[in-house]
Amino acid sequence: MTQPPPPPPQQPPQGGGFGPPQDQPPQAPPPAAGPDLGKAPEPGYGYPQAPQASQAPQTPPPAAPQTPPQPPQGYGYPQGAPAPQPPPGYGYPGQQPGPYGQPQAPYGQPGYGQPGFGQPGYGQQPGYGYPQQTMPHPPQAGQLGGGGKFNAQMLIIVAAVVAIALIIGGGVLYASSGDDDGKKDDTASSSGGTGGTDDGNGGTASGKEKAPSDPSAKVLFQVPAPEVKNDSTVVVSGSWLTDKAYVKSGIARIVGYDRDKGGELWKIPLAGPVCQASRHVTDDNLTAILYQPAMPTKADPSHGCSQIALIDLDAGKRLWTKTVKTGDQLINFDNITLSGKTVAVGSTSGGAAFDVSGKLLWSPKPADSCYDAGYGGGDKLVAVRKCGSYDQRQLHIQTIDPKSGKVISEYKMTEGIEYASIVSTNPLVVAADVGDSAGDGSGISDFFSIDSKTGKLRTRISAPGEQFAARCEGITRVEACNLLAVGNDRLYLPTEEHDGTGKYSQTNEIVAFDLATGKQTGQRADAGDGYTISPLRMDGGNLIAYKRPPYDKGGQVVSISGSDFKETTLLQNPATDAVRDVETSMSPEYSEFLYADGHLYMSKVYASKRSTVRDKEYLAVGFGTS
């Protein structure tokens, strides 16, 4: 077992601007031993056991102070409500999969909402967070396990509270409504997938990202954190990157910034805060968000996440807003995604979908014991459909036609698995915490590689939480995974931190699993002493990864060849204390990271009231090579 590292950073340095922190840095925990990655891969789980921990711990050099992100306390989140009793019985219809949007019944299923937690990438939104109205305080260093993950049982308890708060009572009739006047537009299919051409060595042709002549980067701009009144915490989840702009959610608005200078290009005002944002973008830069219909107040701290909107990231316009009702009550949705020309949203009341033109494709129905908890988008559209009562739950992983809603294939997971996350839709990879065995709050004990054409299981990969650092939320937001990537018919995972070869050094690696066999391929990318490496996204057949720096260096973005795992440095951040403190105030676990064309953007998923008037916090920071 590894020793717990310091909690993940979320707060920037104290004292204003890029100045060094004023507070004394916390003492780091003793280093822990790492896994023997030189061992040959083994079938199925294929990860070697860790050796014994190192000798007496040493105190490492000072590092920037790190604190985990503060969860929202009532700013825009529903208050608790009495828990409804789950309906008895199982009652899943036995017919073959047919047209989508068949009758579904809402359940009092526990849910858990997190904004902006997804796999980072070009035109994708990564983020991470925990929006509950009632929640324990964030864990401190002594409460975190390997990789700084939350306790799984605590997540489940919190999930039940949040789900109850999100349930809206009402009649049994469902209808669409709330079409405001605005431009309507059709688009091409969304971008995504693995891309590339097989090179015969298990990898694909090289990606688009090329190493510059000089990878040295500088700070391009920083966006100040927005002002938050009272002691509230506001979700600012969502960031995207186009050829024209870096786009970031603020408080009740979305802003397009110049990619190099950070000046505002356009601004889309919203009636209330953003709740969730799709990580997918169409070929012509359309994406979708969920937001509240009004700003929260002390008297009414939440208006629900009922507004579904299509955003044009090039024009800086909201093309339309839609809602779905149950009786006279608006449905609050937990997650949103985009596949082709379809915007899909899921919740404990079931799922709904709209064409990008604004046409309703399907909506929840009250006559079935199954409901769509959420969807994974991109190349394909995949639903996590929950069937049966709470104590007899079974998850159906369904690949569906995004236009007609017809079920193409279906894989039924073992009964008793309560939550699942869509890691990738093409190839189809699902993550789950089977039997709550992960034990670290990562939401992952196993990955399931599924044939999306037939619905048959290709292989199952065991990924013990104490050995691997990937994470998925999965409780309400089924597409909220990060610190992992899928491409070349392989799954790329980072290991947990362990002892490096240098004094005080901690490090980790990225390893690859074959999605056909479940075995490790033997490929390994080392972070290097003092660095920790995390997958961001695929670039054709190559893997783009971020290296979080040690106390005396700047971070890096590297490209890892899909065939031979050779690393190429794409970007090297400055090693000055002031810049490094700002960089390490954000992390891939708890922030949003986007990289493309020599530009790296980091941003937060929460905005909160500053602790003192001297604090200087940033919503986003951009780095770039010359």
Side-chain angles (χ1 to χ4, degrees):
M1 297 296 291
T2 60
Q3 295 295 323
Q10 178 72 5
Q11 302 301 326
Q14 308 298 312
F18 283 108
Q22 301 300 315
D23 298 330
Q24 292 298 318
Q27 295 298 316
D36 177 12
L37 295 178
K39 186 177 178 180
E42 301 172 8
Y45 126 25
Y47 192 85
Q49 298 299 311
Q52 295 298 316
S54 61
Q55 300 301 316
Q58 301 290 331
T59 302
Q66 302 177 11
T67 56
Q70 299 298 314
Q73 299 296 325
Y75 200 83
Y77 289 91
Q79 301 299 309
Q85 295 298 318
Y90 187 101
Y92 183 72
Q95 68 270 22
Q96 295 297 316
Y100 217 60
Q102 293 298 322
Q104 308 169 33
Y107 279 92
Q109 170 72 12
Y112 183 72
Q114 295 180 349
F117 179 29
Q119 180 177 334
Y122 187 87
Q124 296 180 347
Q125 169 267 339
Y128 183 86
Y130 299 89
Q132 300 99 4
Q133 196 277 329
T134 302
M135 176 181 174
H137 292 293
Q140 302 304 312
Q143 298 173 298
L144 290 171
K149 299 173 183 175
F150 293 107
N151 180 275
Q153 294 300 321
M154 181 61 70
L155 290 183
I156 300 302
I157 295 171
V158 174
V161 176
V162 177
I164 293 170
L166 292 175
I167 293 169
I168 293 183
V172 295
L173 295 178
Y174 292 77
S176 67
S177 65
D179 185 5
D180 57 3
D181 294 332
K183 175 185 173 184
K184 298 183 179 181
D185 190 19
D186 289 330
T187 89
S189 299
S190 65
S191 59
T194 57
T197 303
D198 193 341
D199 67 0
N201 296 315
T204 59
S206 61
K208 297 180 180 179
E209 304 294 348
K210 305 300 181 183
S213 57
D214 181 4
S216 298
K218 64 180 181 180
V219 176
L220 298 176
F221 63 87
Q222 59 272 356
V223 179
E227 182 180 357
V228 178
K229 298 179 180 180
N230 305 319
D231 293 323
S232 302
T233 300
V234 188
V235 174
V236 287
S237 170
S239 61
W240 306 265
L241 191 58
T242 74
D243 292 338
K244 300 178 181 179
Y246 168 66
V247 184
K248 175 62 186 168
S249 295
I251 297 179
R253 66 178 190 167
I254 298 175
V255 181
Y257 299 94
D258 183 281
R259 286 171 45 127
D260 294 308
K261 299 179 181 179
E264 287 192 12
L265 301 177
W266 48 259
K267 180 170 60 178
I268 302 173
L270 301 170
V274 172
C275 300
Q276 305 291 341
S278 172
R279 69 180 196 175
H280 301 289
V281 176
T282 66
D283 290 338
D284 51 354
N285 290 324
L286 303 184
T287 194
I289 63 169
L290 287 169
Y291 70 95
Q292 294 189 50
M295 289 298 295
T297 63
K298 284 186 176 180
D300 193 356
S302 174
H303 298 280
C305 300
S306 59
Q307 309 296 299
I308 308 163
L310 187 71
I311 304 296
D312 186 330
L313 297 174
D314 281 338
K317 295 182 179 180
R318 177 166 53 100
L319 302 181
W320 50 253
T321 296
K322 301 290 181 179
T323 60
V324 182
K325 284 187 175 182
T326 168
D328 295 331
Q329 298 290 326
L330 293 176
I331 295 179
N332 289 331
F333 291 99
D334 302 318
N335 55 78
I336 187 165
T337 195
L338 190 150
S339 178
K341 296 184 177 181
T342 298
V343 175
V345 288
S347 73
T348 55
S349 295
F354 294 86
D355 185 84
V356 292
S357 67
K359 176 184 177 182
L360 178 67
L361 299 177
W362 64 79
S363 61
K365 305 296 179 185
D368 194 3
S369 63
C370 298
Y371 67 91
D372 290 357
Y375 304 90
D379 280 354
K380 298 184 179 182
L381 187 62
V382 176
V384 175
R385 189 167 176 82
K386 294 191 175 185
C387 296
S389 61
Y390 179 74
D391 58 349
Q392 291 181 303
R393 183 76 67 209
Q394 186 175 41
L395 304 183
H396 298 227
I397 309 301
Q398 298 179 331
T399 298
I400 60 180
D401 185 325
K403 295 182 180 179
S404 67
K406 181 180 179 181
V407 176
I408 298 172
S409 67
E410 179 179 77
Y411 172 73
K412 295 181 181 180
M413 303 192 76
T414 302
E415 187 174 310
I417 298 177
E418 290 292 330
Y419 310 105
S421 298
I422 305 299
V423 176
S424 167
T425 62
N426 184 30
L428 179 53
V429 180
V430 174
D433 186 357
V434 180
D436 297 329
S437 59
D440 59 359
S442 65
I444 304 170
S445 66
D446 297 83
F447 292 92
F448 298 78
S449 175
I450 302 168
D451 187 327
S452 61
K453 294 182 179 179
T454 65
K456 294 181 179 180
L457 181 68
R458 299 175 66 197
T459 191
R460 177 172 168 175
I461 299 170
S462 177
E466 71 273 12
Q467 296 178 0
F468 296 97
R471 56 196 310 152
C472 293
E473 189 251 280
I475 299 178
T476 61
R477 299 188 310 113
V478 303
E479 205 176 25
C481 295
N482 73 347
L483 306 183
L484 77 176
V486 173
N488 306 321
D489 206 34
R490 293 171 183 172
L491 171 66
Y492 298 99
L493 297 178
T495 67
E496 289 285 3
E497 292 183 31
H498 57 81
D499 284 347
T501 58
K503 191 175 182 180
Y504 312 126
S505 173
Q506 291 281 291
T507 188
N508 76 327
E509 302 77 26
I510 292 176
V511 295
F513 288 87
D514 189 308
L515 290 175
T517 66
K519 298 179 180 180
Q520 276 196 47
T521 65
Q523 295 170 314
R524 183 183 75 178
D526 296 315
D529 277 343
Y531 290 91
T532 54
I533 190 170
S534 304
L536 293 183
R537 63 174 175 90
M538 297 303 298
D539 173 35
N542 298 334
L543 175 66
I544 304 297
Y546 171 71
K547 290 187 177 183
R548 184 175 174 82
Y551 74 96
D552 58 349
K553 297 180 181 178
Q556 297 178 349
V557 175
V558 298
S559 176
I560 302 171
S561 170
S563 56
D564 60 13
F565 252 45
K566 179 181 178 181
E567 291 186 29
T568 301
T569 301
L570 301 177
L571 179 144
Q572 171 70 61
N573 279 340
T576 62
D577 290 344
V579 175
R580 191 180 62 254
D581 288 343
V582 173
E583 178 178 2
T584 56
S585 73
M586 303 184 192
S587 71
E589 294 94 332
Y590 298 97
S591 305
E592 300 175 343
F593 277 48
L594 298 175
Y595 175 83
D597 304 322
H599 293 66
L600 173 65
Y601 304 91
M602 304 177 178
S603 63
K604 295 187 178 180
V605 295
Y606 291 127
S608 59
K609 186 176 181 180
R610 298 167 187 169
S611 57
T612 72
V613 295
R614 294 186 305 157
D615 287 351
K616 182 65 174 179
E617 297 188 7
Y618 298 106
L619 175 66
V621 179
F623 299 90
T625 57
S626 58

